[in-house]
Amino acid sequence: MDWKDYEIYIHKHFQRLFPDTSITHNVKKIGIISKTKRQVDIYIDGKLAGFDITIIVDCKYFNKKVDVKDVESFLSFLHDLKASKGILITNIGYTQAAFNRATNDTQDIELRIIDFKDLDKFQAFCAIGYAGPYCAYLPAPPGWVIDGKAPGDMIAAIYPAGLTFDEAMQKEGFMYVKFSNKGSGSIFPTLKSLTDEQDKNVRKAYPSAKIEYFDKEMKEGAKTLLRIADIHANYGGLEYTVFIDFGEFIVFIVLLARHGKDKEHFDKLKWVIDKLKPGKVIFGANSKFLSVDTSLFEK
C-alpha cells in the first residue's frame, strides 16, 4: 500500500462512519488566519442527528513515529481552518509526547491520534443519547471512549480507552449518563425531587454515606449542581455527580473517581459537560425520527 492507497482507504472508512455528511478527499480550504489555501487530506462537514460537525483528518504516511512537533503543527492547522475536531492518523505510530500534547491541549479542539492498524476500532468522537423527546450530544474526552450499550437505564457510559465497562468500574474509574424529564406527569418534576430520591436510595443501602451539595457554575445557560458522595470504602473513591438542568429535562453525569485520580478524572468530567449539547427530537408520522432541534436550549 502506497500513500495514495492509504489515504483512499481512510477516506472510505469515514464515508462508512459518517454516511449523512459531506466527505471530500484532498480538498483546498482558505485559512481563517493565514488567508491562504490549505490542503486537507479528508474534510468531513455535515450533521450528526441534527448536530453540526466539522472534522479534518490528516493522514501521515511516515517512516517514523508522529512526534510532538507534528501534533503542534496539526493543532495550528485546525485552528486556522476553524475546525472543532481533528484526527491524525499514522501508519507507524506516535510518541508518548505526541499523545500527551494531543490529549492535554487546552484549545477548544478535540484531537485524536490513531494508529492505522487501530482505525477499524475507532467509532467516533461522540454519541447522541436519547430519552423520550430529549437528546444530548455526548462527547468522549481525550483518551476515553463512549459506550452506548451500557447496562441498565444508563444513556451511555464513558471510560478509558482499552478497558471494558467492567474493568473501568473495578480498576480505573468511569462515568455514566442519565436523563430525567421534568414535564407533566414526571416522577421527578424538579431537580430537588430527583436529588432527594437519589439520596434516599443511597442512604438506604449505605446508611453511613456522606453526601454534600455545591452550587457550581459548570455549564453556561443552565443551572448546575455538584454532588460529592463518600458512599462506602469498597467504592475505592468518591462519587461526583453533576446535575445540568435545561428547564425541560435534566442531564446528570455520575463519575466514580478512584483515590489519587480525583483531579484527573474530574477534569474529564468538566470537559464532557463543557462540550455537551442538549436537543429535542422532532418526530414525523408514525413516530418516525426526522431531526433534532438544538435551538430550544440556546441562550
Side-chain angles (χ1 to χ4, degrees), residues 76-127:
S76 177
F77 182 70
L78 295 173
H79 185 59
D80 190 22
L81 292 176
K82 208 174 180 180
S84 59
K85 309 178 194 304
I87 302 172
L88 191 60
I89 300 177
T90 165
N91 61 314
I92 297 294
Y94 46 85
T95 65
Q96 185 63 47
F99 176 81
N100 292 342
R101 183 69 180 85
T103 56
N104 297 320
D105 190 73
T106 57
Q107 296 185 59
D108 189 26
I109 295 173
E110 298 175 58
L111 174 60
R112 299 288 193 276
I113 309 179
I114 303 173
D115 198 316
F116 180 73
K117 63 182 175 58
D118 297 324
L119 181 61
D120 287 339
K121 300 176 185 177
F122 177 77
Q123 294 300 310
F125 288 90
C126 62

Side-chain angles (χ1 to χ4, degrees), residues 16-284:
R16 293 192 299 270
L17 196 59
F18 300 103
D20 298 325
T21 61
S22 169
I23 303 180
T24 49
H25 177 220
N26 193 21
V27 65
K28 302 282 188 180
K29 294 288 181 180
I30 300 294
I32 303 298
I33 301 169
S34 66
K35 307 298 182 184
T36 190
K37 289 184 178 180
R38 308 295 300 269
Q39 188 272 332
V40 180
D41 288 345
I42 299 170
Y43 188 80
I44 304 170
D45 185 41
K47 289 184 179 292
L48 180 61
F51 294 90
D52 293 324
I53 61 168
T54 301
I55 304 173
I56 289 178
V57 183
D58 196 26
C59 310
K60 296 296 186 187
Y61 196 78
F62 283 171
N63 57 7
K64 62 181 180 64
K65 291 183 177 181
V66 166
D67 202 354
V68 64
K69 290 183 179 179
D70 301 308
V71 174
E72 289 181 339
S73 176
F74 188 47
L75 283 167
S76 177
F77 182 70
L78 295 173
H79 185 59
D80 190 22
L81 292 176
K82 208 174 180 180
S84 59
K85 309 178 194 304
I87 302 172
L88 191 60
I89 300 177
T90 165
N91 61 314
I92 297 294
Y94 46 85
T95 65
Q96 185 63 47
F99 176 81
N100 292 342
R101 183 69 180 85
T103 56
N104 297 320
D105 190 73
T106 57
Q107 296 185 59
D108 189 26
I109 295 173
E110 298 175 58
L111 174 60
R112 299 288 193 276
I113 309 179
I114 303 173
D115 198 316
F116 180 73
K117 63 182 175 58
D118 297 324
L119 181 61
D120 287 339
K121 300 176 185 177
F122 177 77
Q123 294 300 310
F125 288 90
C126 62
I128 306 296
Y130 294 88
Y134 302 106
C135 65
Y137 166 91
L138 300 169
W144 289 40
V145 296
I146 187 158
D147 182 355
K149 297 181 179 180
D153 59 350
M154 300 178 191
I155 298 296
I158 308 172
Y159 46 83
L163 300 180
T164 65
F165 176 85
D166 290 335
E167 288 171 342
M169 284 185 66
Q170 296 167 10
K171 301 177 182 179
E172 179 65 20
F174 73 107
M175 305 178 213
Y176 65 84
V177 183
K178 289 188 176 184
F179 291 177
S180 179
N181 295 354
K182 294 174 63 181
S184 176
S186 170
I187 301 174
F188 307 115
T190 66
L191 177 56
K192 188 175 188 309
S193 64
L194 174 64
T195 57
D196 285 350
E197 179 67 16
Q198 290 203 336
D199 291 353
K200 183 178 75 173
N201 291 336
V202 168
R203 289 196 168 100
K204 184 177 180 180
Y206 304 100
S208 61
K210 298 176 182 177
I211 302 173
E212 294 183 276
Y213 283 91
F214 304 88
D215 284 318
K216 193 173 180 66
E217 293 185 9
M218 299 181 67
K219 183 69 176 175
E220 185 178 356
K223 174 180 173 55
T224 53
L225 185 65
L226 170 65
R227 180 179 69 192
I228 302 178
D230 187 353
I231 294 177
H232 193 273
N234 290 342
Y235 261 51
L238 297 177
E239 184 181 276
Y240 298 83
T241 305
V242 176
F243 299 87
I244 311 164
D245 191 342
F246 290 110
E248 295 186 27
F249 76 119
I250 297 167
V251 176
F252 58 104
I253 306 175
V254 181
L255 162 70
L256 175 58
R258 298 294 177 187
H259 290 308
K261 292 195 172 183
D262 298 67
K263 183 182 184 306
E264 175 188 343
H265 288 173
F266 191 70
D267 284 344
K268 299 285 188 183
L269 174 60
K270 290 192 294 183
W271 191 96
V272 171
I273 292 167
D274 179 62
K275 297 185 181 299
L276 180 150
K277 296 179 181 178
K280 194 166 186 178
V281 182
I282 307 300
F283 294 102

